[in-house]
Amino acid sequence: MSFDDLPARPPIYPREAEDYARDALILSRRAADRVRSCPDLPYGDDYWQKLDIYLPDDAEPGADLPVLVFAHGGAWTHGYKEWMGLMAPALVATPAILVSVSYRLAPECRFPGPLEDCVAALAWVHRHIDEYGGDPGRLFVGGHSAGGHLYTLASLQPARLARAGLPAGAIRGCMAICSQLNLVFDDPPPGSGEARIYEQFLARAGDDRAASPLHQLPPDGAPPPFLLVHGENDFPRIITSNRRMLAALKRHHLPVRFQIEPGASHFAVALRLADPECATTATLRAWLRDGPSGFAPDGEDHLPVPGVHPEEK
C-alpha cells in the first residue's frame, strides 16, 4: 500500500471529510500491519487503476473463499484504496477476502470513467482471484459513499458487465454504504453537494439519469440482492436517496435489506467498518459467509430516523 506516497489532491469536500481521511489512513495502516496483503496490483495502465488484496493467513489456491470488492468514497473527486483497508481484519476473520479498489477521479476523469474502472477491477478479480484463494463464483461488491454508488450502478447494468467479460450472475450481492443513489437535481443551490455533482463528476448535465442507480430501475436482467445502509445522522440527501431507492427496489420486487447505523454520521459509518461488532460489519460478514439474507417482508431492518418526512420513506 502507498500510505507514504499518496498523490496530493485539492482540498476535500466537505471539510469534515479531512478528519475522516486522516483517521481512515491511521486505521488502515494498522490493519495492513496485521493482515496478509498483496498491494498495488494493476488492473489497468493508469496510476489509479490498482487494487489491494487482503487475505486470511491460510488462503491459498483452491480455498474458494468469498470475496468483497469494495470501492472508497470521496465525492468521486477524492479518496484512495488505502482508506478502506481498515475493514480487512474483521473480514478476513470471516474468513473472506477483501479487495480494495481505486479508480480514476473527477474532474480529471468524469462519468462514466470511474464506473468503467470499477467494472474493469471486478473483471480482473473474476479472472485472477482463484490464484489467491478466492471463489470467482462468490463475488460481492460494494463501497462507501461514491464507491457504493459506482458498484450499485454497475450491478444494475448487466450489458456493461458482459462487455467486460463478466458472466451473468457474477455479482452475488451489492452493499451500498452511505451512497448517493439519485444524481438528478433541479436547480441545485450553488456550492451544494448536489451542484458539485454536475460541476465535478458528470461530463454533461444530461448524464444525471444515466449516472443514477435510482433511474436505472427496472434493470435489463436480474440484479443481485442489495444491502442499503446509511448513518442515522447522515447527510439529508443520502438519507432521501436511500429511502427512494429502497421504495423503488421494493416496487420492482427486487431483494433488498435496509439498515441504519445508529447515531452515526456519514463518515462515522465508514470508520465503524473497522469494528467487527458494528451492525453493518456484522451484516457484511454474514452475507459473505452465508449468502444474502435477512430480507424482512417490507424490506426494512432499521431504527426510525428522526426528521425524515414520511414522503421520503
Side-chain angles (χ1 to χ4, degrees):
M1 276 66 77
S2 306
F3 290 107
D4 298 315
D5 190 28
L6 297 174
R9 298 293 295 169
I12 196 168
Y13 175 91
R15 179 62 186 82
E16 56 264 39
E18 292 285 1
D19 294 337
Y20 159 68
R22 180 195 64 239
D23 293 343
L25 287 176
I26 291 171
L27 290 171
S28 292
R29 187 189 291 269
R30 292 174 183 167
D33 290 338
R34 296 166 51 198
V35 177
R36 178 184 168 200
S37 63
C38 299
D40 298 323
L41 298 173
Y43 64 85
D45 296 330
D46 191 88
Y47 169 86
W48 297 101
Q49 294 171 328
K50 292 185 293 188
L51 51 84
D52 298 333
I53 301 179
Y54 295 87
L55 302 154
D57 288 339
D58 57 354
E60 59 183 18
D64 292 334
L65 294 169
V67 182
L68 174 58
V69 181
F70 203 85
H72 63 81
W76 303 280
T77 60
H78 291 76
Y80 309 100
K81 58 184 171 56
E82 287 77 8
W83 282 1
M84 303 316 308
L86 57 85
M87 303 170 63
L91 294 186
V92 301
T94 303
I97 292 173
L98 170 66
V99 180
S100 185
V101 172
S102 63
Y103 48 89
R104 290 171 295 166
L105 299 173
E108 295 87 352
C109 179
R110 295 175 181 253
F111 177 82
L115 171 63
E116 292 170 345
D117 284 0
C118 287
V119 171
L122 180 62
W124 186 98
V125 172
H126 185 266
R127 292 194 304 271
H128 296 285
I129 202 61
D130 61 334
E131 302 165 22
Y132 300 88
D135 182 351
R138 298 172 72 192
L139 298 183
F140 295 78
V141 299
H144 175 248
S145 197
H149 157 265
L150 293 169
Y151 269 125
T152 301
L153 192 57
S155 298
L156 293 168
Q157 298 188 350
R160 187 184 295 275
L161 297 176
R163 288 195 298 270
L166 288 158
I171 298 175
R172 291 285 304 278
C174 179
M175 306 160 176
I177 314 299
C178 304
S179 299
Q180 183 68 45
L181 303 175
N182 171 45
L183 275 62
V184 178
F185 300 98
D186 295 326
D187 300 320
S192 66
E194 293 88 341
R196 200 170 177 277
I197 290 170
Y198 290 88
E199 297 163 357
Q200 299 283 315
F201 177 57
L202 299 176
R204 296 170 296 276
D207 290 338
D208 53 0
R209 293 184 68 87
S212 296
L214 179 66
H215 296 285
Q216 299 302 304
L217 293 171
D220 294 327
F226 290 94
L227 171 65
L228 307 182
V229 178
H230 66 70
E232 186 176 4
N233 300 318
D234 218 312
F235 297 121
R237 67 178 181 276
I238 298 290
I239 294 174
T240 299
S241 79
N242 274 258
R243 291 301 183 103
R244 293 184 65 188
M245 187 69 175
L246 172 65
L249 288 167
K250 290 166 59 179
R251 188 164 59 248
H252 293 291
H253 307 290
L254 298 174
V256 55
R257 177 169 177 173
F258 182 46
Q259 291 184 188
I260 291 171
E261 191 63 32
S265 70
H266 184 76
F267 300 109
V269 175
L271 295 175
R272 287 187 188 181
L273 296 175
D275 179 3
E277 303 303 319
C278 161
T280 301
T281 306
T283 300
L284 296 183
R285 295 181 70 191
W287 276 36
L288 289 166
R289 184 179 59 246
D290 305 322
S293 62
F295 302 110
D298 65 353
E300 301 195 28
D301 178 19
H302 62 84
L303 299 174
V305 179
V308 176
H309 193 277
E311 70 182 15
E312 296 175 359
K313 295 184 179 181

